[in-house]
Amino acid sequence: EAGVVQSPRYKIIEKKQPVAFWCNPISGHNTLYWYRQNLGQGPELLIRYENEEAVDDSQLPKDRFSAERLKGVDSTLKIQPAELGDSAVYLCASSSRRDRETYEQYFGPGTRLTVT
Amino acid sequence: GQNIDQPTEMTATEGAIVQINCTYQTSGFNGLFWYQQHAGEAPTFLSYNVLDGLEEKGRFSSFLSRSKGYSYLLLKELQMKDSASYLCAVRDGNAGNMLTFGGGTRLMVKP
């Protein structure tokens, strides 16, 4: 079974430029998460989707960040314009309602963003 | 809100046993996870506890005490490849089962 796929793996941009990250969750996983992980810290949830609906986006800085999950499968996270403080690893994860006990989240390899 | 505390760094010797502690405060506890994360890689699931007690899985065990808001991850027969960050995460049933992660404990295994 293929895992969570993310691209690009690395991105370097200048501040004020836009950037987009793409995520393809595990097939059949209805829940998709975007996390931001700063160096030496744990992941912090940005937004959670149940199918195509964003059910928790309270931590998403809506002035510059946006996300979408059209058709309830792939998702895109966008930052426009990027700031120096946005440098981090952006992780995508997915989980399935079929795994009812744990709702274990499976993580992708992440996109390491560097804003210069 | 939630508050999750775990040590920032630990060092142990190959072949030894190490215990990584995690304390938490949450209003709607609905499970605790331990993830392993090697540098530059994705977190991978290690264990899950929702009831008090010890869950054993090979060289790794995880313990939970809900009354004390406390968990630990026990790693036995340490190997060099166990050098990684270990993330404690608590699920909040009052917040849509959202996972909140601690800052992670970076474990260095030395020969």
Side-chain angles (χ1 to χ4, degrees), chain B:
Chain B
Q2 301 189 68
N3 188 27
I4 301 172
D5 290 314
Q6 51 181 130
T8 305
E9 287 187 354
M10 298 183 72
T11 302
T13 304
E14 191 176 16
I17 299 173
V18 70
Q19 177 174 311
I20 303 174
N21 296 324
C22 172
T23 58
Y24 64 88
Q25 294 175 321
T26 182
S27 58
F29 178 83
N30 193 24
L32 186 145
F33 294 76
W34 283 96
Y35 280 82
Q36 180 190 60
Q37 187 177 27
H38 285 99
E41 298 183 12
T44 54
F45 172 80
L46 285 179
S47 69
Y48 168 74
N49 295 72
V50 68
L51 300 176
D52 291 351
L54 189 68
E55 294 284 340
E56 297 186 81
K57 191 185 295 184
R59 295 189 299 114
F60 293 4
S61 303
S62 58
F63 172 83
L64 175 68
S65 169
R66 289 172 297 172
S67 62
K68 296 181 179 178
Y70 167 69
S71 173
Y72 68 71
L73 179 69
L74 193 71
L75 291 76
K76 303 175 186 175
E77 302 170 14
L78 280 173
Q79 302 175 10
M80 298 299 291
K81 67 178 182 179
D82 296 330
S83 294
S85 285
Y86 291 85
L87 300 164
C88 174
V90 173
R91 190 167 68 197
D92 186 348
N94 290 340
N97 285 317
M98 186 180 84
L99 269 188
T100 299
F101 285 84
T105 298
R106 191 170 68 181
L107 174 66
M108 289 176 283
V109 180
K110 296 185 174 180

Side-chain angles (χ1 to χ4, degrees), chain A residues 9-10 35 37 40-45 48 56 91 100-110 112, chain B residues 8 33 35 37 39-45 48 50 87 91 95-104:
Chain A
R9 290 295 312 276
Y10 305 92
Y35 289 89
Q37 186 174 26
Q41 298 182 22
E44 295 176 311
L45 182 69
R48 174 170 66 102
D56 185 353
L91 294 165
R100 292 185 178 183
E101 182 181 355
T102 67
Y103 290 97
E104 178 187 338
Q105 295 184 24
Y106 296 81
F107 284 83
R112 182 176 296 276
Chain B
T8 305
F33 294 76
Y35 280 82
Q37 187 177 27
E41 298 183 12
T44 54
F45 172 80
Y48 168 74
V50 68
L87 300 164
R91 190 167 68 197
N97 285 317
M98 186 180 84
L99 269 188
T100 299
F101 285 84

